[in-house]
Amino acid sequence: MDPLFKRLTIAVSAMVLLGTVACSSSSSSSSAGGSTSGGVSATEKDFSIDLASSSAPAGSVTFNVSNEGPSTHEFVVIKTDDAPDALPTKDGSVNEDQVTVVDELEDVAPSTTGTLTTDLETGSYVIICNVPGHYAAGMHTAFTVS
């Protein structure tokens, strides 16, 4: 085997191993009560939020958030009847003083996961990333609690 190819293979393998270890050991957590097992899987990337389920029963809801993008994101749960793309904005972000923020997971770094468990009442919600510019770029989705 070519010595350069062998060194390149070893270097790539080491980087993959380091990335796997970093991803599995890094996590953010915020809890407002309830179990952190199970729940709704959420994937954030530049610039979208995808939920495995767009609804849940009222009570304790756990969101298992994975940031697959190259940027740090937030996961903000807002109770509102407004459409996901119609929240009030100010200076490139949703104006959190004009909406009802129920809970949030801040600073979800790239290639990490976080867990947010919060009590949700029956109603309509919008989940956003409120890092400046991310909401306007499409990082928002509807969520319903019944």
Side-chain angles (χ1 to χ4, degrees):
M1 180 185 298
D2 179 33
L4 179 60
F5 181 75
K6 186 175 180 179
R7 279 187 260 150
L8 182 60
T9 302
I10 292 170
V12 169
S13 296
M15 289 174 44
V16 168
L17 180 61
L18 285 173
T20 302
V21 170
C23 287
S24 65
S25 65
S26 297
S27 68
S28 300
S29 178
S30 175
S31 181
S35 171
T36 58
S37 62
V40 177
S41 294
T43 303
E44 293 183 306
K45 39 186 141 164
D46 293 359
F47 290 96
S48 66
I49 299 175
D50 296 315
L51 302 176
S53 175
S54 62
S55 64
S60 182
V61 177
T62 298
F63 295 97
N64 299 306
V65 182
S66 175
N67 182 354
E68 295 180 1
S71 304
T72 297
H73 294 297
E74 294 182 334
F75 189 85
V76 184
V77 180
I78 297 169
K79 186 167 183 14
T80 182
D81 289 326
D82 291 340
D85 62 351
L87 300 178
T89 60
K90 177 181 179 184
D91 299 327
S93 300
V94 169
N95 187 345
E96 292 187 17
D97 292 335
Q98 293 184 354
V99 295
T100 303
V101 175
V102 177
D103 211 341
E104 67 184 296
L105 183 61
E106 295 180 326
D107 301 326
V108 182
S111 301
T112 65
T113 60
T115 303
L116 177 68
T117 301
T118 190
D119 290 319
L120 299 179
E121 301 172 351
T122 299
S124 298
Y125 294 81
V126 173
I127 297 172
I128 68 166
C129 174
N130 209 22
V131 170
H134 291 200
Y135 171 78
M139 290 196 73
H140 48 73
T141 190
F143 189 74
T144 305
V145 176
S146 53

